[in-house]
Structures are given as structure tokens and as C-alpha cells.
Amino acid sequence: QTRHFLDAGQGGWFHNLLAAQTPADFRAIVESPWFHDLLSLSSHDETRPIVALMDNAKAAARLEALLETFGGPTSSVAGDDLGERTQLPFKQYRGVAALRAADSTGRMIESTVTRAERARKELPALHEKHRGWMSTRDGNFDADLLAMSRFTSDPKGPLALVFCNLRNDGAREDVFKLDVDAAKRIDPDKQYNVRDLMADDPKAKLWPDAVSGRDLLEHGVFARVPAYGLQILSVEEAR
């Protein structure tokens, strides 16, 4: 039972996250009761995430930031979000190099993860564990774009949408239908716009013009995400 939380790393479950490549992989992981209590990518005496991901810093940044969007607690080992490559052996007292002198790679990872952490702090929709999975207009799940809704327990409460391009070789785009729980939080008679809290300007409206709730409910949401990209969209009534 301690694998759920205290010994999540020792249980080895984080290896599944490091190996996940498709939206289906992530859905299976985060909906599993074994991952319910804690999400992590490493433990003190294991290979660092960036090394496990074949030294792909952009993939490490994407995965560490994405973990902040699923809901519930996460854990990391000192230096993970700065691209540390050296293990942290138990009961050894040498320092963590990335904490003392982060390089450009480490600063890029940290910047990406920090944006996701700030989004989680700012958006009430990310404070709880409620989530839904959005399919495309044909009823299937996109093979490359992870599309997830996040919301509170209030049926009329705030809504956030998460889109993540899990491919590394270029932008991906698709149109996604709002899942049942997300649709409940949209008023067909109101106008909406979104802010992307992962963008350079998180206060800017992402859509050139406001979109009616009816249009969102009937036609869905178009998402285009660059390679390695992660969007955390706050859905807000247009003023």
C-alpha cells in the first residue's frame, strides 16, 4: 500500500510515465488507482528523468510540466527541474551541480516547469483532481495530441483545457469535442475566450475574437500545438 505515496518511487511506477508516448498511455496511467495519490518521475537513487529521456531536454521539460496539469500531488528529486543528470545516492552528501550552477538547458526546463506550476496555483480548475478526456469530432482520441479538461466540483465552476503535443517532429492540430463535464460549465448564450498560461504573455487572449458557448458546444475547440508544446487554457467569459 505504501507504493501509493511514501514509496511511489521505490515501487517503480514512475517508469511508466517516462515510457509513455501517446495520450492513451497517459490516460491509462493517471486513471489507474496506483497513480492516484502521487505522480513522480524519479527517486533519489534512480536515473534522472532527462537521462531516461535520452538527454532530450525539451521532452523532459514537457513531461515535468505536464505532470502539474493532472491534479493531485507531485514529487521530484532536487535538481530534476534544472536538468540534473547525476543520481543522488542515498546518504551521500555531495552537492547537486545543477542547483549550484544551472546551464542554459537547466534554465529552459525550469522556466517551462515554473510556468506550469504558476498556472496550477492561479487556476482553481487545476486545484482539484477532476478531469475529462476530449475526443476529436469523429469520436476518437487523437494519437498525438493529449486533450484534457480540468474543472472543480462546482457544475458551474471554472474550466481549464490542457493540450499537449507528444510528438517531437512538428506541430499537430485537431478539433476536440468538449467532454460531458466540460460542456456543463459552458453557457450556450455567453461569449468566451481563453488565455494560455504557458505563453510568454499569459494575460493575452488567445482567440482573435470571442466564441459563443453554443459554438463551442456544437463545434468543439480547435487546437494547434507546436512540437513539444503544452497549452494550459483558462476558459473565461468575454467581457
Side-chain angles (χ1 to χ4, degrees):
Q1 288 299 312
T2 61
R3 287 182 178 182
H4 284 291
F5 36 92
L6 181 63
D7 290 329
Q10 188 171 347
W13 303 108
F14 65 86
H15 291 295
N16 300 55
L17 281 167
L18 291 169
Q21 297 184 6
T22 68
D25 292 337
F26 284 99
R27 288 197 304 273
I29 290 169
V30 301
E31 296 298 341
S32 167
W34 285 109
F35 291 87
H36 182 76
D37 295 296
L38 179 70
L39 292 176
S40 64
L41 296 174
S42 61
S43 69
H44 70 279
D45 59 353
E46 293 280 350
T47 299
R48 294 285 191 161
I50 190 172
V51 176
L53 295 169
M54 307 299 292
D55 221 36
N56 188 330
K58 290 182 178 180
R62 174 180 58 195
L63 183 55
E64 291 183 38
L66 180 61
L67 244 60
E68 298 298 329
T69 71
F70 290 121
T74 63
S75 73
S76 63
V77 177
D80 280 353
D81 60 356
L82 285 166
E84 178 63 53
R85 291 172 170 81
T86 304
Q87 294 177 356
L88 191 67
F90 190 50
K91 291 185 178 180
Q92 289 193 18
Y93 298 100
R94 57 180 167 78
V96 179
L99 297 180
R100 300 185 178 194
D103 58 18
S104 59
T105 295
R107 287 191 292 270
M108 181 276 292
I109 297 173
E110 181 188 38
S111 175
T112 303
V113 176
T114 297
R115 291 187 187 196
E117 291 172 342
R118 287 174 178 168
R120 182 173 184 172
K121 183 177 181 180
E122 176 181 337
L123 299 183
L126 300 183
H127 292 178
E128 303 177 26
K129 288 187 177 181
H130 306 295
R131 56 182 172 256
W133 304 98
M134 294 185 289
S135 63
T136 60
R137 285 186 295 186
D138 60 9
N140 297 314
F141 290 107
D142 192 283
D144 301 319
L145 276 176
L146 183 151
M148 176 176 60
S149 65
R150 293 296 320 280
F151 42 86
T152 67
S153 54
D154 181 357
K156 301 297 182 181
L159 175 66
L161 304 177
V162 176
F163 298 103
C164 185
N165 184 357
L166 299 177
R167 293 294 296 269
N168 306 339
D169 58 354
R172 293 294 188 276
E173 61 183 43
D174 214 326
V175 179
F176 296 90
K177 298 186 299 183
L178 294 176
D179 60 89
V180 173
D181 289 300
K184 292 177 182 177
R185 289 152 176 84
I186 295 295
D187 186 331
D189 297 321
K190 293 183 177 180
Q191 298 286 314
Y192 294 89
N193 211 314
V194 297
R195 292 183 297 120
D196 180 8
L197 275 73
M198 294 298 291
D200 291 337
D201 183 1
K203 295 182 179 180
K205 302 298 184 183
L206 184 61
W207 299 337
D209 300 300
V211 178
S212 73
R214 192 174 309 278
D215 188 61
L216 291 175
L217 292 170
E218 292 180 357
H219 301 293
V221 178
F222 171 77
R224 187 180 193 277
V225 187
Y228 297 101
L230 171 65
Q231 295 180 342
I232 303 176
L233 306 184
S234 173
V235 182
E236 302 167 353
E237 291 182 26
R239 302 296 183 183

